[in-house]
Amino acid sequence: MVPKIGVYICHCGENIAGAVNIEEVRAYAEKLPGVVVARNYLFMCSDPGQELIRQDIKDGLVDRVVVAACTPRTHEPIFRKALESAGLNKYLLEMANIRDQDSWPHWHDKEGATAKAKRLIASAVAKAAYLEPLEDRYVEVTPASLVIGGGVAGMFAALDLANMGYKVYLVEKNPSIGGNMAKLDKTFPTNDCSACILTPIMVQVGTHPNIELLTYSEVESVEGTFGNFKVKVRKKQTYIDWDKCTGCGDCVNACPAKVPNEFNEGMDYRKAIYIEFPQAVPKRAVVDIAHCLNCAKRTIGTKPRVHSKTGEPILAPCEKACKTGACDRSREYNPEGEILEINVGTIIVATGYRVMDKAPFKEYSPQSPNVITAMQLERILSATGPTGGQLKRPSDGEKPQTIAFISCVGSRDKRFHTYCSKVCCMYMLKEARLIKEKYPHLNIYIFFIDVRTGGKDFEEYYNYCRDLGVKVLRGRVGAVDELPGDRLRVRAYDVDLGAPVELEADLVVLATAIEPAPGLEELGRKLGITCGNEGFFKELHTKLYPVETSVKGIYIAGCAQGPKDIPESVSQARAASSAAAVPLTAGKVVVEPLISEVNQRKCTGCGTCVQLCPYSAINLVEDKDRRRAKIDEALCAGCGACAAACPSGVITLHGFTNAQIHAQIKALAC
Amino acid sequence: MSQVQGGIGIINLSAGDPSLVNEIKELGGEELLECIQCAKCAAACPMVLAGFPFFNKRVIQAILLGLRDALLDDSSIWACQSCNRCTEVCPREVNPFEIIQAMRRVAIREFALPTLAIEGLKSLYDTGHAVYLAGAGNTRAKVGLPEKPPSTLSYPEALKEVRTILENTELAELGVIPMGESGVTDSCEV
């Protein structure tokens, strides 16, 4: 039967029509082989636009549809529904992307854009002639979810899903959940004490019957697809029996080794055996084996020597101090830890951010102990920090009298990060305010490029800080010089005075950028989701699908997606948890039938495809006298690697058959 | 103020006087801290066009940074024409004109005022008019007006009241109003 193809060209308002001569393209499309009708409309995706397509189908005019419009990434599902509602198999649709691939990049070449639109449509029409009806498949969904990252975003995502009744695995790479927020003193714009609002949430997460907390763990690999992901999680070796550990801290007190304390941003020391911070959840000790001194020659997994006189075993201080037997160095621990395999239907990635280091900023004298990052100041201000909340500068423990804040350190900077880190203006104001409220007579200067306080109640916060007497100067600081007596000279240009200014300060605080967490890209590769230019995970669509990723069933939240503050991170986490719950609630998900199929009668059983399949979806099975390839429909993701490689050409990728692709290429080449 | 205009000298913020902000607020510039340096006032200010270094926006920033000496060493604040456009356009209701007035009060406390101002004060004390043109009588007569306007010039008892008020101002306490025994002079042209 000769296909009857309808071509529907969208103006996309001015987006396409501004560069492409729609009428010329329409007249051209009408004359293409197999085309029975070609129409155009201002917004083809709107209801009247879709109605044009539905009516032609119902009238029996067309039985194949080509939509020349924007991207199928967002709009293919919309047009497929239109076909379906008019009674046509929804896979008899082909889209030509004449916006993203034509009118946008060729905006200033109207003739060229029009010519290219014709080619793209001709190519789509050629393929459409070979389209075949396909049937959707449904797969059962594993009613569980994995949340990667135990910061404020990850915790809220996990709690929401757990409260809906789903099993949640929460993977956190550090020994405790809490994330960066646990390090903060107070939080803008309400100045809630961070610990006071966060630690109760940590407790809820730690005790929720539906949440399985996997701290000190990392995702090793992810297999499977939407609805049924198989995830390997490595529980890193703690060298402590967590079932017995009570978090009493006796071993920590006994340990003589000193290691820079990550939780206090390197401003004091922790032990080699340590509990991450006093409010840790779970409150358990871990041994940092790289820094362990192996006291009493008690290397892990060796029998203790025996005292020659007393006959008692000679133990390490940590073991001796431990009352529960959790710290037992005679045990043979596997340094690789333990691999857990978990099955989940959906995954939320909330891996947070890292604060940029001060070292690259030579112009700001990073070698001075009194030049600190804002996160370091946060720890100094915090009651759980290295100074117990006393404002003391690092060099000599004196209270600084003049403090200078410098904004945009590593942000809005082509050498490091071109983006705005978004939270720095507010946290600098917050830190200045906390100090000024405690010590009104201190001089505080904040050097901004410009003050960005977009957010509910933020501008009011800014005004309040100014009223307190915090000095705000516009102009990026050019240099911080070290002067004798631990003084620092800040040199800047006050844009508002139009004059160079300098200031002697005894503490300089750098608002260093928010960076993607280390290893984000590698985690992205494991999950199959991509990072944008700036290194953060990319959402499927900025406005419409902000928590979805290009991989169905994998969602993102918090600073893993880009710099944001706590209210935004929590909002996004709760959006992600609701998106991730939809398939769990539905119980089954549609899997597009765009998968590969082997013509078993012709398969020679060479096994080439078996090796190539990234999803381990192909096996060789005994069939009568010989072995032949068989594809597991539930596992096949439709990548097409097998179809392209099959030496006998007997694997078909539905939706992208050889005939369809050849026709498409041939039409493009004309 | 050449160091601002030419950008030659460096302003030392550490030497800034943190008490200036409160002084200005007490002397009439209550809304000082509302200023976000948007520069809308400067766009409306004739002093900017005339090339004075410390116009409204810069006066405010200098006050915020406590640059008392820089402001006192410069005569800009006395060049304000009181046109009040800045106050009309300010989106933050800072009332920049009032801040310049407040800064003038600060300056007077330091006796940093121009001689012209003293002449004006003398005229005010002598005649009840800051600007009094003795030769105006003829002109007034020509157009059918009484030679002397119906003000302190016509009513000596009113002038007495004005003087009493002046004698009770901080200006008098500072001794910057010349209060001669000469009585109403014939002319005080300024």
Side-chain angles (χ1 to χ4, degrees):
Chain A
M1 204 172 77
V2 185
K4 297 178 283 187
I5 303 170
V7 178
Y8 301 87
I9 303 163
C10 180
H11 297 216
C12 198
E14 269 291 292
N15 275 306
I16 294 170
V20 172
N21 184 332
I22 300 282
E23 180 47 34
E24 190 181 323
V25 172
R26 196 204 59 78
Y28 168 85
E30 208 168 37
K31 295 194 178 66
L32 288 168
V35 173
V36 292
V37 64
R39 301 189 196 278
N40 59 293
Y41 187 67
L42 195 57
F43 296 105
M44 200 57 83
C45 57
S46 67
D47 192 54
Q50 292 188 39
E51 186 54 30
L52 291 175
I53 302 173
R54 288 195 292 256
Q55 198 56 52
D56 284 349
I57 295 169
K58 284 180 193 157
D59 292 346
L61 191 61
V62 305
D63 60 10
R64 298 282 189 283
V65 174
V66 169
V67 177
C70 58
T71 171
R73 196 161 56 90
T74 55
H75 279 57
E76 195 172 56
I78 295 165
F79 291 114
R80 278 184 180 166
K81 277 218 167 64
L83 266 66
E84 207 170 25
S85 66
L88 191 64
N89 183 284
K90 67 180 179 185
Y91 293 99
L92 297 175
L93 167 79
E94 184 64 21
M95 283 187 76
N97 186 346
I98 59 169
R99 188 190 68 179
D100 304 28
Q101 295 170 5
D102 185 25
S103 66
W104 278 354
H106 306 297
W107 191 255
H108 298 291
D109 176 11
K110 314 278 184 216
E111 258 177 52
T114 301
K116 187 171 174 181
K118 289 180 188 171
R119 276 198 184 188
L120 289 171
I121 291 170
S123 171
V125 166
K127 184 184 174 185
Y130 291 92
L131 289 177
E132 52 191 8
L134 300 169
E135 292 309 320
D136 277 338
R137 299 175 302 138
Y138 291 88
V139 295
E140 298 281 322
V141 175
T142 309
S145 207
L146 164 68
V147 177
I148 308 172
V152 66
M155 287 195 290
F156 267 97
L159 272 179
D160 274 354
L161 287 163
N163 286 336
M164 289 181 225
Y166 298 110
K167 167 90 183 175
V168 180
Y169 300 92
L170 179 58
V171 171
E172 165 59 49
K173 70 174 189 305
N174 286 330
S176 170
I177 53 172
N180 279 311
M181 187 176 164
K183 296 181 179 181
L184 306 181
D185 177 35
K186 294 195 170 61
T187 52
F188 64 79
T190 45
N191 282 10
D192 299 278
C193 151
S194 184
C196 311
I197 55 175
L198 187 73
T199 50
I201 302 294
M202 290 162 63
V203 174
Q204 277 186 52
V205 171
T207 54
H208 201 293
N210 287 344
I211 298 179
E212 187 167 335
L213 207 50
L214 301 169
T215 60
Y216 213 46
S217 300
E218 288 185 56
V219 169
E220 192 76 7
S221 67
V222 180
E223 283 176 12
T225 49
F226 188 25
N228 295 285
F229 293 104
K230 291 181 189 1
V231 184
K232 283 187 178 147
V233 176
R234 181 183 298 279
K235 287 196 81 166
K236 293 186 279 190
Q237 191 50 265
T238 60
Y239 300 99
I240 299 285
D241 185 342
W242 274 20
D243 291 335
K244 291 181 182 165
C245 180
T246 60
C248 69
D250 288 348
C251 58
V252 179
N253 293 334
C255 176
K258 283 169 89 181
V259 186
N261 185 352
E262 300 88 349
F263 189 73
N264 282 337
E265 297 288 310
M267 287 185 295
D268 65 356
Y269 295 93
R270 62 161 169 83
K271 304 297 182 62
I273 188 165
Y274 69 105
I275 295 168
E276 198 183 350
F277 54 101
Q279 297 74 30
V281 172
K283 196 172 181 186
R284 298 282 184 274
V286 297
V287 179
D288 171 2
I289 204 73
H291 292 98
C292 178
L293 302 172
N294 295 316
C295 301
K297 298 197 176 139
R298 292 287 285 127
T299 311
I300 297 283
T302 57
K303 293 288 160 210
R305 292 173 302 145
V306 176
H307 197 281
S308 56
K309 293 195 177 117
T310 62
E312 295 282 313
I314 303 173
L315 299 176
C318 50
E319 285 178 292
K320 242 188 270 176
C322 180
K323 295 184 191 77
T324 64
C327 181
D328 176 3
R329 304 183 68 93
S330 305
R331 260 178 72 172
E332 283 183 29
Y333 288 98
N334 179 358
E336 298 299 316
E338 180 194 353
I339 299 282
L340 292 181
E341 287 193 29
I342 57 178
N343 296 320
V344 293
T346 52
I347 299 174
I348 295 174
V349 193
T351 45
Y353 69 97
R354 173 171 70 179
V355 173
M356 194 181 175
D357 187 43
K358 66 174 179 173
F361 302 96
K362 303 291 176 230
E363 66 270 38
Y364 296 153
S365 296
Q367 71 283 0
S368 164
N370 293 330
V371 175
I372 59 174
T373 66
M375 189 56 117
Q376 287 179 317
L377 178 60
E378 205 70 51
R379 294 309 301 144
I380 290 175
L381 295 175
S382 167
T384 64
T387 61
Q390 296 296 307
L391 180 62
K392 291 177 179 171
R393 63 176 187 175
S395 69
D396 54 8
E398 290 291 312
K399 190 171 88 182
Q401 291 304 315
T402 301
I403 304 173
F405 286 85
I406 304 177
S407 77
C408 302
V409 179
S411 308
R412 304 172 74 189
D413 185 330
K414 279 194 167 177
R415 298 169 303 165
F416 304 103
H417 305 297
T418 51
Y419 53 83
C420 164
S421 290
K422 200 170 181 185
V423 293
C424 319
C425 284
M426 280 301 289
Y427 74 57
M428 282 191 295
L429 289 167
K430 178 202 72 181
E431 289 177 344
R433 174 173 170 176
L434 294 177
I435 294 170
K436 199 78 180 162
E437 282 178 339
K438 237 175 171 174
Y439 311 104
H441 298 297
L442 292 199
N443 303 310
I444 300 183
Y445 293 81
I446 310 185
F447 293 87
F448 286 103
I449 301 180
D450 39 35
V451 184
R452 296 184 167 181
T453 53
K456 196 178 175 184
D457 298 334
F458 287 10
E459 185 70 7
E460 290 76 5
Y461 197 96
Y462 165 62
N463 286 331
Y464 185 79
C465 293
R466 300 256 326 249
D467 284 348
L468 284 177
V470 174
K471 307 286 182 200
V472 172
L473 281 95
R474 226 170 343 172
R476 217 164 185 164
V477 169
V480 174
D481 313 315
E482 281 187 287
L483 302 178
D486 281 348
R487 303 280 289 166
L488 296 156
R489 182 172 59 208
V490 180
R491 288 191 279 150
Y493 184 85
D494 183 347
V495 175
D496 294 306
L497 274 180
V501 293
E502 63 177 47
L503 175 72
E504 266 192 40
D506 25 30
L507 186 68
V508 170
V509 184
L510 308 179
T512 52
I514 277 190
E515 291 187 317
L520 200 65
E521 214 175 329
E522 198 197 328
L523 178 64
R525 268 196 293 276
K526 287 174 186 168
L527 293 161
I529 63 178
T530 49
C531 293
N533 287 339
E534 67 293 335
F536 296 102
F537 283 139
K538 211 169 157 43
E539 64 283 356
L540 183 62
H541 189 284
T542 314
K543 301 172 195 81
L544 304 180
Y545 305 104
V547 297
E548 285 85 345
T549 65
S550 53
V551 178
K552 274 190 181 168
I554 300 185
Y555 310 87
I556 48 179
C559 287
Q561 184 261 350
K564 55 180 65 67
D565 60 21
I566 295 163
E568 273 189 294
S569 287
V570 172
S571 310
Q572 205 181 20
R574 308 198 75 171
S577 64
S578 107
V582 171
L584 304 185
T585 310
K588 55 184 182 178
V589 289
V590 177
V591 179
E592 288 184 348
L594 307 178
I595 54 168
S596 292
E597 189 181 347
V598 183
N599 183 340
Q600 284 207 317
R601 280 195 311 123
K602 292 184 183 170
C603 174
T604 61
C606 71
T608 306
C609 53
V610 178
Q611 303 302 320
L612 276 173
C613 178
Y615 304 94
S616 311
I618 315 179
N619 283 308
L620 290 177
V621 292
E622 291 296 332
D623 181 43
K624 291 170 194 156
D625 52 332
R626 55 195 173 122
R627 300 191 310 160
R628 299 169 202 267
K630 188 170 187 310
I631 297 176
D632 184 336
E633 287 187 2
L635 292 178
C636 176
C639 74
C642 54
C646 178
S648 319
V650 297
I651 301 183
T652 301
L653 175 59
H654 292 293
F656 299 91
T657 64
N658 284 351
Q660 288 166 358
I661 291 173
H662 287 158
Q664 205 167 8
I665 295 171
K666 208 174 148 193
L668 259 186
C670 282
Chain B
M1 170 75 195
S2 63
Q3 70 177 141
V4 169
Q5 203 166 30
I8 306 157
I10 296 169
I11 291 174
N12 183 3
L13 295 177
S14 309
D17 175 358
S19 70
L20 184 57
V21 167
N22 278 335
E23 197 177 342
I24 291 290
K25 282 167 76 176
E26 282 160 18
L27 292 176
E30 292 93 350
E31 304 304 321
L32 177 72
L33 288 170
E34 286 301 308
C35 175
I36 51 171
Q37 292 286 306
C38 74
K40 199 173 176 193
C41 57
C45 181
M47 285 168 69
V48 176
L49 300 176
F52 285 94
F54 277 111
F55 42 85
N56 36 30
K57 170 183 184 283
R58 271 188 182 161
V59 169
I60 292 171
Q61 177 73 354
I63 293 169
L64 290 171
L65 298 178
L67 307 181
R68 187 189 291 269
D69 292 342
L71 284 164
L72 295 181
D73 287 349
D74 185 83
S75 62
S76 294
I77 52 168
W78 300 100
C80 169
Q81 297 297 300
S82 314
C83 73
N84 248 315
R85 277 193 229 164
C86 51
T87 296
E88 283 174 24
V89 300
C90 175
R92 306 273 299 176
E93 297 182 338
V94 170
N95 205 342
F97 169 63
E98 272 309 323
I99 286 166
I100 289 180
Q101 290 292 80
M103 191 58 219
R104 285 179 175 179
R105 292 177 186 120
V106 171
I108 289 172
R109 282 177 169 184
E110 311 265 350
F111 302 103
L113 69 166
T115 44
L116 270 179
I118 299 205
E119 280 179 34
L121 284 168
K122 179 175 165 54
S123 170
L124 190 63
Y125 188 80
D126 288 350
T127 68
H129 288 257
V131 179
Y132 167 58
L133 297 174
N138 294 335
T139 319
R140 291 177 62 89
K142 269 186 213 165
V143 296
L145 286 169
E147 216 167 290
K148 287 184 175 177
S151 66
T152 46
L153 294 175
S154 309
Y155 302 95
E157 63 274 25
L159 179 62
K160 229 178 216 169
E161 283 174 25
V162 168
R163 285 184 176 179
T164 307
I165 293 170
L166 282 168
E167 278 155 10
N168 284 290
T169 59
E170 199 175 331
L171 291 170
E173 260 170 60
L174 290 165
V176 294
I177 308 176
M179 300 180 199
E181 294 302 314
S182 56
V184 180
T185 51
D186 292 339
S187 165
C188 179
E189 231 166 298
V190 291

